């Protein structure tokens, strides 16, 4: 068999059934909402709004203050925070309302994501539209979503501690990375619903595709550390760091104990983000060249080339953000574009695997997973 006898990887083997398409559309809608959450969360952080709501009220917190008395009460709670006393002393109520609106909108969008996830999940599950593997994957993402909410509050609580004017960088990075994992999980499951032919050899193309996805996630985590510690406001030169390609060890590990340098040392935090960007860029370009040489004209080669282009664009946007000393528009664009890179990398990694289209059709529902034993007894 020659390469010409095999369909290019990523080509659709058959048109998916209507029910399967509905599940896929729902998953991609959820993914878009998660990207929106990341964007609003980034704006909340960049405007310093994240500590404006000092309580975690999952249900009643969905309703904002509706009277002058309620607004005054919320403002008084904020006045007790270190951020107000250190940074925003003398702020007026109208300015506080702007901060409050960003954080409230971020939390409200989180509630919307939860509803859009769980209500259709129950419907598809009841109609038998989910295989056991897909259903378990979705339940796992639901648990991860709950954990994400808890991490978000732990993050906010860290910024309410004495002497703090912002949230802890490590908790911010974990919050952003967990959102990215949820996004990757949704896209992975959605991409897996499309029937595909088996991937070609060599296996290194599959390995590097997954490695790129993993590196993107690692880079997002490191970017969260940079954002949380405001490490982007130092060393605003490129390719050097104020004249040094590699800062001396005395600067990279100036903090004791040494392990804390990876979170608290702005020099090492930014240096790690740069190094991982270079590694990701090199791997993406090498993978694209390998795919185009090994399997020219295939969906695999086109996707690999697209990812390389996205990584190059993201690297340029990151450099621009650094050189401009992190203006809001550039920082937010850089964060949101990272989600685009992750989405494409996830689709590509999933598409390089052999996928069988086994998800049942909504028009012919099967026994919902978890009810198989009852169905067997009835039969």
């Amino acid at each position: 068999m020659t390469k010409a006898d095999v369909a290019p990887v990523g080509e659709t083997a058959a048109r998916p059934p209507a029910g399967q398409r509905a599940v896929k559309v729902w998953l991609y809608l959820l993914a878009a909402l998660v990207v929106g959450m990341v964007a609003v969360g980034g704006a909340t952080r960049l405007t310093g709004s994240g500590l404006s709501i000092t309580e975690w009220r999952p249900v009643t917190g969905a309703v904002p203050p509706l009277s002058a008395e309620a607004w005054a009460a919320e403002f008084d709670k904020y006045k007790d925070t270190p951020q107000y006393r250190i940074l925003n002393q003398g702020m007026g109520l109208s300015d506080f309302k702007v901060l409050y609106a960003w954080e409230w909108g971020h939390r409200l969008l989180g509630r919307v994501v939860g509803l859009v996830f769980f209500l259709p999940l129950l419907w598809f599950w009841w109609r038998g539209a989910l295989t056991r593997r897909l259903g378990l994957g979705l339940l796992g993402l639901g648990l991860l979503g709950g954990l994400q909410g808890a991490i978000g509050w732990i993050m906010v609580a860290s910024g309410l501690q004495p002497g703090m004017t912002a949230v802890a960088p490590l908790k911010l990075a974990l919050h952003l990375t967990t959102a990215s994992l949820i996004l990757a999980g949704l896209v992975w499951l959605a991409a897996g619903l499309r029937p595909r032919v088996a991937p070609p050899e060599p296996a290194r193309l599959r390995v590097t595709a997954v490695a790129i996805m993993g590196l993107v996630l690692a880079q997002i985590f490191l970017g969260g550390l940079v954002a949380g510690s405001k490490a982007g406001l130092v060393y605003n030169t490129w390719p050097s760091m104020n004249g040094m390609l590699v800062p001396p060890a005395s600067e990279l590990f100036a903090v004791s104990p040494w392990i804390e340098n990876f979170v608290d040392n702005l020099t090492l935090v930014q240096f790690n983000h740069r190094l991982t960007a270079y590694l990701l860029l090199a791997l993406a370009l090498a993978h694209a060249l390998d795919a185009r040489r090994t399997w020219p004209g295939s969906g695999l080669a086109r996707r690999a080339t697209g990812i390389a282009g996205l990584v190059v664009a993201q690297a340029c946007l990151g450099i621009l953000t650094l050189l401009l000393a992190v203006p809001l528009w550039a920082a937010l664009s850089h964060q949101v574009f990272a989600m685009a890179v992750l989405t494409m990398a996830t689709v590509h990694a999933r598409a390089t695997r052999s996928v069988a289209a086994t998800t049942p059709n909504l028009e012919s529902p099967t026994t919902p997973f978890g009810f198989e034993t009852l169905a067997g007894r009835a039969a």
Side-chain angles (χ1 to χ4, degrees), residues 184-320:
L186 290 169
V187 173
W188 182 276
L189 293 176
L193 291 177
R194 184 181 182 185
R196 304 178 190 278
V197 297
E201 296 296 338
R204 68 174 181 274
L205 291 172
R206 300 196 298 273
V207 172
T208 51
V210 174
I212 288 172
M213 176 183 165
L215 266 181
V216 172
L217 285 167
Q219 182 68 334
I220 288 172
F221 173 79
L222 294 173
L225 288 179
V226 170
S229 63
K230 295 182 172 56
L233 297 177
V234 298
Y235 301 105
N236 298 108
T237 59
W238 187 87
S240 70
M241 297 177 67
N242 291 355
M244 301 173 293
L245 288 177
V246 179
S250 59
E251 292 188 25
L252 292 174
F253 295 94
V255 178
S256 182
W258 69 271
I259 191 67
E260 294 184 3
N261 286 279
F262 291 91
V263 176
D264 297 329
N265 186 336
L266 302 188
T267 301
L268 185 59
V269 167
Q270 188 186 125
F271 185 65
N272 286 337
H273 193 49
R274 291 190 184 208
L275 281 184
T276 307
Y278 298 148
L279 179 59
L280 175 59
L281 181 59
L283 184 60
L285 291 174
H287 178 65
L289 291 173
D290 191 12
R292 293 172 68 88
R293 178 182 58 84
T294 306
W295 210 256
S298 66
L300 171 67
R302 290 192 295 271
R303 289 194 310 272
T305 303
I307 290 174
L310 288 177
V311 172
V312 170
Q314 173 70 339
C316 293
L317 183 55
I319 293 170
L320 179 63

Side-chain angles (χ1 to χ4, degrees), residues 83-105:
Q83 185 188 66
Y84 174 82
R85 291 193 296 268
I86 297 173
L87 295 182
N88 294 330
Q89 187 77 34
M91 169 186 285
L93 179 60
S94 58
D95 291 329
F96 170 71
K97 287 182 177 181
V98 174
L99 298 183
Y100 192 98
W102 277 113
E103 176 65 9
W104 178 80

Side-chain angles (χ1 to χ4, degrees), residues 165-178:
T165 59
V167 301
L170 182 58
K171 293 180 175 62
L172 174 65
L174 288 174
H175 191 53
L176 177 61
T177 305
T178 306

